[in-house]
Amino acid sequence: MTRVLQRFRSRRRDLGLANALLLGLHGALQRLNDHLGLARYYLLAQPVGQMHASGNRPGRLQIRDITEDPAALAQLPRATEQVRYRQEHGGVCLAAFAANGETHMLGFIWLLFGPYHENEHRCVLQPPPDASCALDVDVYVFPEARGGLVFAELWQAADRALQERGIEWSLSRISAFNGSSLRAHERLGARRIGSLYFLQLGRSELLLTGRPPFLALTRPDGHVPTITLHPPANRA
């Protein structure tokens, strides 16, 4: 019991009381049946063109577009079908490497400019139709490269790429149970614009959110709801 309380207190400090309770409920559901579960995600909007240089030494990292580089894409810890889907839907993948010529990848980010079919849950996320927003659907830093500047450098490169396309906001969803990722995004200026809740009930999944369609129950072979993300009214 002491160990359970210590774990809960640690989660409360990291995630806040509500998310610590939800994570505990998810664990309890999983112990009952591994086809049960609960997830919460925050929807984030990050303004483009407001990032400051990280102070990294010139030449320390190399960030490049690997969208059409099969050898580099093979290093991604993602299913081949996911990578192909993102390519076919106009996605751009930027990856970080050491600037000394090493080919080992340190991290990557995917940017999409249209609807994205979630690979973890049954829903489609899409930016508003005015072409002012993009989706960042996957930001990942390999474990051995965490704690450094890879995350910030990737975002600086993504920020530049989005500015070149005239994008004003980058929209995303981050697990409410991933405190370190949330804090990293918010340090770079991301703002919370809503939440998504998913309750897994065997082969069915219940979606609850504060925007249309608000509530949806889905099955593997059924209709998948589409959620349009809208940025804040102002960039201040």
Side-chain angles (χ1 to χ4, degrees), residues 36-235:
L36 299 175
L38 176 65
R40 181 188 187 186
Y41 295 89
Y42 286 117
L43 301 173
L44 301 180
Q46 183 161 316
V48 172
Q50 295 186 8
M51 291 189 65
H52 301 289
S54 67
N56 192 20
R57 293 195 302 271
R60 184 174 177 180
L61 292 179
Q62 178 190 44
I63 311 292
R64 58 186 178 89
D65 185 340
I66 64 165
T67 311
E68 303 298 332
D69 184 340
L73 290 172
Q75 295 188 49
L76 302 184
R78 300 293 181 263
T80 302
E81 294 77 13
Q82 291 181 33
V83 173
R84 185 181 301 116
Y85 173 90
R86 295 170 183 182
Q87 289 177 305
E88 291 174 351
H89 287 77
V92 172
C93 185
L94 303 177
F97 302 85
N100 59 9
E102 291 184 11
T103 58
H104 179 65
M105 191 183 299
L106 302 175
F108 60 89
I109 182 172
W110 276 94
L111 305 172
L112 285 179
F113 306 93
Y116 174 63
H117 197 300
E118 273 283 343
N119 57 283
E120 294 182 42
H121 299 281
R122 296 186 201 119
C123 73
V124 174
L125 301 179
Q126 68 178 12
D130 61 4
S132 66
C133 301
L135 300 175
D136 58 271
V137 300
D138 196 354
V139 187
Y140 184 83
V141 177
F142 286 88
E144 65 273 16
R146 292 172 188 170
L149 293 171
V150 175
F151 180 87
E153 290 295 310
L154 278 170
W155 261 111
Q156 285 184 21
D159 192 74
R160 290 192 295 269
L162 294 174
Q163 285 186 71
E164 291 172 0
R165 290 173 174 256
I167 300 295
E168 298 178 4
W169 292 92
S170 184
L171 310 174
S172 61
R173 67 107 178 101
I174 304 293
S175 172
F177 304 152
N178 189 341
S180 60
S181 181
L182 282 168
R183 288 187 291 273
H185 279 81
E186 290 174 343
R187 281 196 295 270
L188 297 179
R191 295 155 62 180
R192 299 182 189 183
I193 56 173
S195 293
L196 302 174
Y197 297 85
F198 294 94
L199 178 62
Q200 183 184 355
L201 301 165
R203 290 170 57 81
S204 298
E205 186 176 70
L206 181 66
L207 163 68
L208 175 65
T209 181
R211 60 195 63 222
F214 302 110
L215 186 69
L217 182 66
T218 62
R219 298 277 294 172
D221 55 352
H223 171 72
V224 176
T226 296
I227 302 168
T228 302
L229 308 186
H230 292 278
N234 62 75
R235 290 165 56 86

